[in-house]
Amino acid sequence: MGVYVYDNSFNGLICAIKAAAIDAAAEITLAAPAQDSLFSSAVEVEASPADSAAFLRKLDGLAGEGTAENMKLCWLWNGPEKEKMLLTYARMAFSKGKKLNDLLADPAVAKVLKAAAAVLREGHRLKGFLRFSELSDCTLYARMEPDHNVLPLIAGHFRRRMAASDWVIHDARRNMAALYFGGRLRVAELTGDQTPPRSETDRQVTGLWRTFFEAVAIRERTNPRAQRGGVPLKYRANMPEFDTDL
Amino acid sequence: MDDLERRIEILSAGARYDASCSSSGSDRSGGNGAAHMSGVCHSWSADGRCISLLKILMANACVYDCAYCVNRRSNDIPRAALTPDEIASLTYEFYRRNYIEGLFLSSGVVVSPDHTMELMLEAVRKLREEKRFTGYVHMKVIPGASRELIDRAGLYADRVSVNIELPTSGSLARLAPGKTRESILRPMSRLAECISASRDERRSVKSAPLYAPGGQSTQLIVGASPETDLQIMKLSEALYKKMALKRVYYSAFVPVSPDNRLPALTAPPLAREHRLYQADWLLRFYGFAADELLNERCPCLDLTFDPKTMWALNNLDKFPLEVNTADHLELLRVPGIGTLSAKRILRARRVGRLNLEDLGRLGVVMKRAVYFVTAGGHYGGLKTDSAEAIKTRLLEKKEPAAVQPQLFATAEPAGEL
Ligand code: SF4
């Protein structure tokens, strides 16, 4: 029984899966203290972006396009045993081939597809629900607390949308941020939960937005259930139109 | 509340109802509207509709007196206006905070159609040129505006629309005095010309200016005048063919205030509106002609069954259809087979013969299709050629929820864009 240890990066995991895929009894664990036990000989896998890309292409070739994409999305998912899920899924790409992503009744495949769909859905929602406020130095700052690690999924969207501004998207749940300054995007750790001071205009604009938000609703057709279906409560803390303290 | 807030309140409230040229184009079904653009909803209002655009009027004063419209001259309501600068800044500031995807700009007719158009054009010009705004703009074109102004609209807007309002000139004369069929169709056909000219030009010269790349749409009010569904579908068919419209939006007449020119309705005819959207869908994507769905004897869409099922029941001699040999257009005409499942059938057929069980997996809604298809000669429906018997069975299988108006809001991907 082989244990493959990786560095907690996506490429690292893919390389570990590649190494473990041929070994039927293999397990994959995180980089955390590699303890050799009697039964396992832990192999530390090096994360190679080139190898990882090649292996993902191979999976797409075997099981059809979208397979690698599902792996990437599943990696961003917030749930237990991702390593095991992805290893099983990759192995099945070899054994099932093009049928893989149609095996909706197979629990292992269903789990991966469901996780990928959940990540996509939340990323899509946040493209709409993310709210920037303008800071006193004109930077735009958005705070979010997503269930899944959607930051890598949405950063590109906002780069296209707001190429001419400087902005920060802060995942306060993971202490990570996408920072876009002077046309360069990078992802970095960002701790601390103090919202920086907003500009004076920002307060006014937020007020106008709340006015608009109230006025477009047709009062006689109030439908909180449909509204909750649209914007689940958990996102509202970071959306000024739902802020009751203002 | 300061003055700007008050004006925004009045002018966005004025834009939220369907039944006026100052409204959204599809207020009710706005829940899915954004799907036509990028599928992004930025928020949901308290009445459960998706918000993706700053939908607002330049002004809600109007020199006209259209019976079905809140903003009509004779209605006693507070009036307000925004300046082009205010519209441009508001849109820009909302957009960069990710509150919205863009602007939906309309207006009551202030002073004259030309004066109104000039104000609206100035607002979108400032937005594009001064604010360098690259988001989405839908702009209404005011009937009666001069050609020079109409020609400029599509240079700034992604989508343009002139509301056709009512299906016949008789109804226009009665309910919208001041507007004529001619004053509506003229800008519409001019916009169509500009759009197609720009497309042609850009095919050879890449740098030629874009003109309303999102095309042209229109809106029609259903239930405020006596026209039949046949008349309405014939009109839509002509608009799609002659004006190359992207969409016709149908909006159930909402009684906004009593007016003796209007029918006394207790509720907007939402079920009828829903059927019109379905029939419209059949015209655009399923190769149906209006004449096939409706005729002089039967000029109204059935409210119990969808238009495709009704057509199939009236044409039982064409069924059952063998799914292994039928061509694409024939497949599309089977109730329960949609554009996607028709494609899947064609693809799956290349690999092997299909049987009835396969169809469900390909996305066919078998509880409807079963009466109309055979697979490899096998038939799973009723051994009868009576439409009444099939209807009875279909009704038994229908979920009662499907007739609640609530659901109509999400049933049809009818967007405002
Ligand atoms: S022209 Fe008619 S429909 Fe348009 S805003 Fe004026 S009254 Fe309303």
Side-chain angles (χ1 to χ4, degrees), chain B residues 19-22 62-66 68-73 107-109 165 179:
Chain B
S20 78
C21 72
S22 45
C62 192
V63 297
Y64 291 123
D65 204 34
C66 306
Y68 47 82
C69 176
V70 257
N71 300 316
R72 66 183 191 285
R73 192 183 56 219
S107 185
V109 182
E165 310 285 17
K179 289 186 204 160

Side-chain angles (χ1 to χ4, degrees), chain B residues 237-250:
Chain B
E237 193 170 46
L239 290 173
Y240 287 129
K241 285 206 181 114
K242 296 199 186 117
M243 303 278 185
L245 288 200
K246 272 279 187 313
R247 286 300 301 268
V248 176
Y249 293 102
Y250 307 90

Side-chain angles (χ1 to χ4, degrees), chain A residues 15-202:
Chain A
C15 291
I17 287 176
K18 181 186 171 194
I22 36 167
D23 174 355
E27 272 179 27
I28 295 177
T29 60
L30 286 186
Q35 295 172 342
D36 281 12
S37 76
L38 273 179
F39 306 102
S40 65
S41 49
V43 183
E44 278 192 40
V45 181
E46 205 182 315
S48 148
D51 285 1
S52 153
F55 187 65
L56 289 172
R57 269 199 304 280
K58 179 170 182 175
L59 291 181
D60 266 355
L62 284 168
E65 240 166 90
T67 307
E69 183 65 19
N70 288 339
M71 309 255 310
K72 283 184 200 159
L73 290 169
C74 190
W75 166 250
L76 303 176
W77 181 63
N78 179 18
E81 302 202 308
K82 278 191 292 198
E83 291 86 2
K84 208 167 125 193
M85 275 164 69
L86 287 175
L87 177 60
T88 314
Y89 182 69
R91 278 185 181 139
M92 286 178 74
F94 286 88
S95 60
K96 307 289 181 188
K98 294 271 190 266
K99 275 187 298 192
L100 178 70
N101 292 309
D102 294 328
L103 297 173
L104 304 178
D106 183 286
V109 177
K111 230 173 145 184
V112 170
L113 295 184
K114 261 201 182 137
V119 172
L120 262 188
R121 185 171 53 243
E122 185 167 56
H124 183 78
R125 275 180 161 160
L126 278 166
K127 283 181 192 170
F129 299 163
L130 200 69
R131 293 288 179 266
F132 288 89
S133 41
E134 192 188 59
L135 309 182
S136 29
D137 67 351
C138 282
T139 305
L140 293 163
Y141 170 87
R143 183 180 189 280
M144 63 174 186
E145 294 157 283
D147 287 340
H148 308 292
N149 182 16
V150 295
L151 190 61
L153 216 56
I154 64 174
H157 167 83
F158 287 100
R159 177 165 56 180
R160 281 187 297 282
R161 184 185 161 100
M162 317 199 300
S165 316
D166 291 339
W167 50 260
V168 175
I169 301 174
H170 182 191
D171 181 341
R173 195 160 161 179
R174 290 171 188 76
N175 293 324
M176 294 295 288
L179 309 166
Y180 184 82
F181 285 94
R184 284 199 43 221
L185 177 65
R186 66 201 169 86
V187 175
E189 206 166 304
L190 184 68
T191 46
D193 200 35
Q194 247 170 356
T195 313
R198 297 156 66 197
S199 72
E200 198 34 52
T201 17
D202 198 64

